[in-house]
Amino acid sequence: MSNTEQNSDPLLLPCLAPLTGVPHPPPLAFTAPWHYELHFPRDPRGPGVARVTLRAVLGAHGLDELIDRAELLACELATNSVRHTKGSASVRLQWLHPVLRVSVCDSCPDLPLVAGARPAPVGPHADGGRGLLILDALADRWGGRATHEGPWSGEGGKTIWFELRLNPPEPEPPALAA
């Protein structure tokens, strides 16, 4: 391969910062662990900001298969934090291949239900109460815990988390011998 051919491959070229020209580090491998965290105030726009951020992060890391479920569940939990607590909240995305864990923390220490319990069904005309049912139906695993510290000036709070597992591609069937 000639030098010109080698340098024309965009994967081999260093990514340079536009203002300084300093090379960026290479992107993380798909299986490498990472986490992102977003803090937002008690504001009805917070869950939307969290949703857009989640989509951008998962898209940038090639986790398109998980975006829709993660977005729905994270937005549900973030909305509950904004509606039912008096303080700020945060959303944390953590990738430990092949599992994505999303945690939503807020300043209210009251857990929505006892650990291990299934959410109670709600009537068809109820105004709310479906969030944990949705979480239970779409998450591969989920749970919650009270916390005794966080970004809430020493107050207690809680973390509700869920995990989504990336499904490996189906193996190709073996070729039949002729």
Side-chain angles (χ1 to χ4, degrees):
M1 176 184 284
S2 75
N3 199 22
T4 307
E5 290 174 294
Q6 185 179 17
N7 289 337
S8 66
D9 185 347
L11 296 176
L12 298 177
L13 294 174
C15 183
L16 302 178
L19 297 178
T20 64
V22 175
H24 288 292
L28 292 172
F30 184 73
T31 56
W34 50 257
H35 81 270
Y36 293 81
E37 193 162 355
L38 171 70
H39 297 267
F40 54 94
R42 184 174 185 256
D43 182 298
R45 294 170 287 205
V49 172
R51 183 176 54 245
V52 169
T53 302
L54 180 141
R55 287 190 79 80
V57 169
L58 296 184
H61 283 280
L63 294 168
D64 299 305
E65 177 183 322
L66 300 179
I67 290 176
D68 291 336
R69 285 192 303 155
E71 177 185 22
L72 175 64
L73 296 175
C75 194
E76 179 64 36
L77 293 177
T79 299
N80 286 347
S81 289
V82 167
R83 279 190 182 158
H84 302 296
T85 67
K86 293 186 176 14
S88 63
S90 66
V91 174
R92 182 174 196 215
L93 310 174
Q94 183 177 16
W95 175 246
L96 296 169
H97 185 272
V99 175
L100 173 71
R101 178 178 272 216
V102 179
S103 303
V104 178
C105 303
D106 62 42
S107 59
C108 179
D110 300 329
L111 291 171
L113 51 102
V114 179
R118 288 248 203 251
V122 295
H125 302 292
D127 288 337
R130 291 180 182 82
L132 293 178
L133 290 169
I134 294 168
L135 185 63
D136 198 51
L138 296 180
D140 294 320
R141 280 181 14 138
W142 69 277
R145 64 181 175 86
T147 56
H148 300 291
E149 53 187 66
W152 308 289
S153 306
E155 300 174 16
K158 72 174 166 300
T159 299
I160 305 293
W161 57 267
F162 64 86
E163 292 180 349
L164 303 176
R165 179 173 285 280
L166 185 67
N167 295 321
E170 294 293 321
E172 293 290 323
L176 296 174

